[in-house]
Amino acid sequence: MTVQSCPCGSQRGYAACCQPAHNDHASVDHPEKLMRARYAAHVLGLVDFVVDTYHPSCEAEQHRKGIADSINSDWLGLQVLSSNIDSSGKQGFVEFKAHYADDVQEYCLHEKSRFLCELIEGKNLWFYIDGVFPGNLKAGRNDPCPCGSGKKFKKCCG
């Protein structure tokens, strides 16, 4: 029997990695797990999970169509660069690069995402709230991409 690899790139099977989060948001105990589950949800077309894991203040339901459109990209891979939770235990950050293609062009979304943990109906739930795009990468258009993809900068993060 073959174990389906998790789309988040963790090298674990989907059933042991992101599927529990997709089935029960409350099972997520760290922002990196939510980040990986949100990426896997993009790959698997799980629009409801992505919408539901935005922080309530984001009013993601109003942006469902745009979220669904972003999910329709061809997701190529995820690299988690760092993740941590601040001393309060209620705010976390995950820096990542998500590679995707849209038609014939390939792209790299490099973001440092912020997550908040909120007590809702007696459960601590992590939510994505926002993110920033780290400084511009320094590379020539035809140089190898600094993200390590093996592609030219102009075809990847450029």
Side-chain angles (χ1 to χ4, degrees):
M1 180 164 120
T2 308
V3 175
Q4 179 188 6
S5 294
C6 192
C8 79
S10 68
Q11 306 302 313
R12 297 172 54 205
Y14 174 64
C17 192
C18 290
Q19 188 176 31
H22 292 158
N23 292 336
D24 180 13
H25 180 184
S27 72
V28 176
D29 61 358
H30 194 279
E32 182 176 338
K33 287 183 182 178
L34 184 58
M35 172 60 231
R36 287 183 175 281
R38 285 173 56 88
Y39 176 84
H42 276 74
V43 173
L44 299 171
L46 304 176
V47 176
D48 289 341
F49 181 82
V50 175
V51 169
D52 292 345
T53 57
Y54 271 95
H55 190 270
S57 68
C58 296
E59 300 179 348
E61 189 60 47
Q62 295 179 8
H63 307 286
R64 179 178 282 276
K65 183 179 178 338
I67 293 166
D69 289 346
S70 76
I71 287 174
N72 289 329
S73 296
D74 181 16
W75 295 94
L76 305 173
L78 174 68
Q79 296 172 284
V80 175
L81 305 175
S82 66
S83 67
N84 60 50
I85 298 174
D86 73 4
S87 60
S88 74
K90 297 295 181 188
Q91 180 172 252
F93 299 90
V94 180
E95 184 175 351
F96 69 92
K97 291 182 180 180
H99 300 271
Y100 66 99
D102 194 5
D103 296 322
V104 297
Q105 185 71 31
E106 290 186 11
Y107 302 93
C108 175
L109 170 64
H110 182 186
E111 182 177 306
K112 184 173 184 181
S113 298
R114 183 169 63 117
F115 296 84
L116 297 178
C117 188
E118 301 281 344
L119 184 62
I120 297 183
E121 297 178 6
K123 297 178 182 176
N124 283 315
L125 300 175
W126 283 100
F127 293 95
Y128 169 83
I129 186 148
D130 57 21
V132 296
F133 303 103
N136 295 335
L137 297 172
K138 303 290 186 220
R141 291 183 42 80
N142 290 314
D143 292 339
C145 191
C147 79
S149 68
K151 299 176 184 161
K152 289 184 179 182
F153 182 65
K154 68 182 177 185
K155 296 275 186 182
C156 193
C157 297

